[in-house]
Amino acid sequence: MNDALTLHELTVPMTLDELAVPLRALRLLAVDFGHLPAPCTRVSTIYPNQLELSFYDDLADFEGWRDALGIAPDAVECREQGGGRTRALSLTTDYAGAELRLVAYRDVPAPATAAGKDAR
């Protein structure tokens, strides 16, 4: 897996060609898995070999992609953030030479109070 670029490397302008690896991976994903739900995508000059696919409010879309890519469920990291109000799933794998990162976020339902109302 790659590390972030150094400060010196960030001051040198990057060309689009230097992002070819994750862009090529995105193209292959579109061809091979075009039937799957569309994620938010991110390619960054900070992590030039990484392609991130993000899913919001539906963990099932994340799981569909994980399964289609043949990634074992135990490769998924599950955590809560935002004071326990958001559940986050993530995994990182190699795909077509790129570091492919899948992430998903979903609100955690607030516990019901004794009167049956939201605690929020």
Side-chain angles (χ1 to χ4, degrees):
M1 305 300 162
N2 67 337
D3 293 327
L5 296 176
T6 66
L7 183 58
H8 171 73
E9 291 168 318
L10 289 174
T11 60
V12 177
M14 183 174 276
T15 65
L16 186 59
D17 190 48
E18 292 174 276
L19 298 175
V21 172
L23 292 173
R24 187 176 311 115
L26 180 59
R27 184 174 140 218
L28 291 172
L29 289 169
V31 169
D32 294 341
F33 302 106
H35 61 284
L36 292 175
C40 293
T41 60
R42 185 173 68 96
V43 174
S44 167
T45 57
I46 305 297
Y47 296 100
N49 289 318
Q50 185 181 80
L51 169 62
E52 182 175 287
L53 307 181
S54 303
F55 304 89
Y56 297 89
D57 298 324
D58 194 346
L59 302 181
D61 291 347
F62 173 95
E63 285 297 313
W65 274 89
R66 181 203 53 76
D67 185 54
L69 290 166
I71 300 168
D74 62 355
V76 176
E77 178 185 334
C78 182
R79 65 186 189 288
E80 289 187 353
Q81 58 191 42
R85 295 177 20 166
T86 302
R87 180 162 295 126
L89 302 179
S90 64
L91 66 83
T92 303
T93 190
D94 291 325
Y95 185 82
E99 178 182 309
L100 178 62
R101 178 170 156 73
L102 270 64
V103 295
Y105 305 96
R106 179 168 181 171
D107 289 342
V108 174
T113 63
K117 296 184 180 181
D118 260 348
R120 287 188 197 176

